[in-house]
Amino acid sequence: MTAPRVSALTTRQEWLDLRDRITIPSAMWVDGRWDEADGGVTSVISPRDGLAVADVTSAGAEDVDRAVRGARRAFESGLWSRLEPRERGEALIRWADLLDQHRDELALLVALEMGKPVIVAWNVELRTAINTIRWYGELADKLMDESPRGRNGAVALVTREPLGVVGAITPWNFPMTLSMFKVPAALAAGNSIVVKPATQTPLSLLRAAELSAEAGLPPGVLQVVTGSGSGVGSALARHHDVATLTFTGSTEVGKKLLTYAGESNAKPVWLELGGKSPNIVFPDAPDLDKAAEMAAWAISFNSGQMCTAGSRLLVHEDIRDDFVARVVKHLEAHVIGDPLDPATTMGPLAYAAHRDDVLDEVRQGIADGATLVAGSDARRDDGLYVDPVVFVDVDQDSRLAQHEIFGPVLSVLTFSSEAEAIAVANNSDFGLGSAIWTGDLSRAHRLSRQLQAGLVWVNCYEEGDTSVPFGGQKLSGHGADRSVHGLEKYTALKTTWIELA
Ligand code: NAP
């Protein structure tokens, strides 16, 4: 087995030197070139030190309209939409290769804009983004239409056709990965796409879009419009020429998008929303130490800013104290610090108001009577960095157990039977991730069928692959990304019925 590739940059100084050599994007990417919009500029502030990384142009409503019209023009030109599927796939694969060649630079942009440790950005965020583009590139010419038997004397064809312009709105926690859960699937199907990244994190996506032109994607096929959600995002969501809208972000904004769609052209809206994932540990787990290590990982990876964070740890009452002690030990082993230091395992939270919200939730948890066994509600004096927090004695109906905090705050609950574990796990408005740790195969199957969640991991956490869907149920959304199914939402089914003479 070959060792996984790693970045050639191994010291903080080397990453800082790279930062001085690269050009940081500051304009929108529209019609195959940089585009200064009309709506002023917004500073991208790095959570690592609170300093501005770039001043990025903000679009006005006319700029959004121009980007959508350009995407529509590109679609109608047929340069992409009617290109041989194989050639579309080859262009996507060339794009993936180019992103791979520029992986240091892109990982650095992710680390600067959202504070993810640069090594994690390189190994996880960029790897997943690049693999996803390559996967959809390889899929582009392998999609099958249907010809059902129908009736004698007729031929029926059921084909999938591109929709036109797809609108995508993405969050800040995985700026590259989550955009690439959408962009290559929409493009492989022959659409054009207009993406609005989060205001905090447009930089890596803008650079990736620039590289798409080098890979041969025609102008207008991939547009990136920058600016606020309330301005740019809502203009995109309300646009009559956007045929479908794909979103990853909070449940609150997802609900607004459904309204915008209803008030405009009734476009379908696909939602990847929040979560409060239960991570259920039985005493018969094959390896309780691994389960504890993964429980710690599940709440602290990306500083807990993960839709699938294992924020509700459900432990059998017989093993709670020992198991929680192991989780705390793993959390305390984190090296919290500068994302550009390769030794860092946990970076800061993404922005100051979010850090304040997370600490407020900790304060509320204490006030509601839960017992704090790790971390604190106090600000550290080094900016946006926070220590992981663990609460025990959490009431399953309390805010701590119900509300998505989106930070490294773990709520531990207990159960005494399988039935109780399922009842507590499903006592949530969300239904995204879930995990079961048990050595009993029948129990694993039984519970996975009963869990109200789009994702169930057994004896692991957050595992997956581009070949399997990623998405939720209930208030976690609908219309999963990834896999062959992730592409279906970017196509329309058409029936052609041919009556034979
Ligand atoms: P957010 O506040 O919902 O923002 C997501 C995106 O929506 C941003 O680009 C934002 O723009 C935009 N937006 C905000 N208001 C809008 C409006 N009125 N109209 C149109 N667009 C609007 O979420 P976030 O804070 O970035 O991300 C955290 C949330 O995302 C959490 O709830 C998390 O669970 C969820 N998430 C879900 C998944 C999943 O796959 N299920 C994955 C990751 C994250 P601006 O920020 O620029 O204003």
Side-chain angles (χ1 to χ4, degrees), residues 30-302:
V30 173
D31 295 340
R33 57 188 167 72
W34 294 118
D35 183 306
E36 294 295 344
D38 257 356
V41 292
T42 307
S43 295
V44 172
I45 305 293
S46 180
R48 65 180 284 270
D49 54 11
L51 300 177
V53 187
D55 290 329
V56 176
T57 193
S58 287
E62 309 79 52
D63 298 308
V64 175
D65 181 52
R66 193 158 47 80
V68 173
R69 279 192 282 112
R72 183 76 209 171
R73 234 182 357 261
F75 181 76
E76 282 169 4
S77 77
L79 284 173
W80 182 258
S81 54
R82 291 195 293 276
L83 193 63
E84 292 300 336
R86 184 178 191 80
E87 291 177 51
R88 277 207 298 267
E90 284 166 358
L92 288 173
I93 292 168
R94 279 197 303 277
W95 186 31
D97 290 344
L98 267 172
L99 297 186
D100 209 7
Q101 285 162 28
H102 291 80
R103 196 155 157 182
D104 286 342
E105 177 187 353
L106 291 161
L108 176 63
L109 289 173
V110 170
L112 290 173
E113 64 191 345
M114 73 77 55
K116 186 175 294 181
V118 71
I119 297 302
V120 177
W122 205 96
N123 288 333
V124 181
E125 173 120 30
L126 267 300
R127 176 174 54 78
T128 312
I130 291 165
N131 285 350
T132 309
I133 299 172
R134 200 167 276 140
W135 196 90
Y136 280 110
E138 286 162 357
L139 184 70
D141 64 343
K142 295 171 191 65
L143 297 165
M144 304 285 166
D145 290 328
E146 298 164 27
S147 180
R149 182 92 32 112
R151 147 166 95 57
N152 290 339
V155 171
L157 296 175
V158 182
T159 50
R160 285 198 169 270
E161 310 203 336
L163 298 166
V165 180
V166 173
I169 300 177
T170 54
W172 46 261
N173 62 330
F174 284 89
M176 281 295 291
T177 304
L178 295 175
S179 299
M180 295 313 156
F181 276 11
K182 303 178 184 305
V183 172
L187 292 180
N191 300 285
S192 301
I193 186 164
V194 181
V195 191
K196 192 215 90 67
T199 317
Q200 293 95 342
T201 58
L203 305 178
S204 50
L205 181 67
L206 285 166
R207 177 68 176 121
E210 184 185 20
L211 290 168
S212 75
E214 220 175 289
L217 270 68
V221 161
L222 167 59
Q223 318 269 55
V224 181
V225 292
T226 46
S228 75
S230 54
V232 179
S234 77
L236 185 63
R238 290 176 186 278
H239 203 289
H240 282 262
D241 259 347
V242 170
T244 197
L245 188 70
T246 173
F247 173 72
T248 299
S250 62
T251 298
E252 185 192 345
V253 173
K255 286 179 175 177
K256 287 188 188 169
L257 299 181
L258 292 167
T259 306
Y260 301 162
E263 288 170 355
S264 55
N265 58 341
K267 56 180 75 65
V269 180
W270 308 99
L271 302 173
E272 295 281 0
L273 307 175
K276 193 78 188 177
S277 301
N279 183 14
I280 311 169
V281 184
F282 287 88
D284 67 352
D287 182 345
L288 278 172
D289 230 351
K290 181 179 171 208
E293 185 181 350
M294 290 313 297
W297 181 91
I299 193 60
S300 59
F301 181 69
N302 213 33

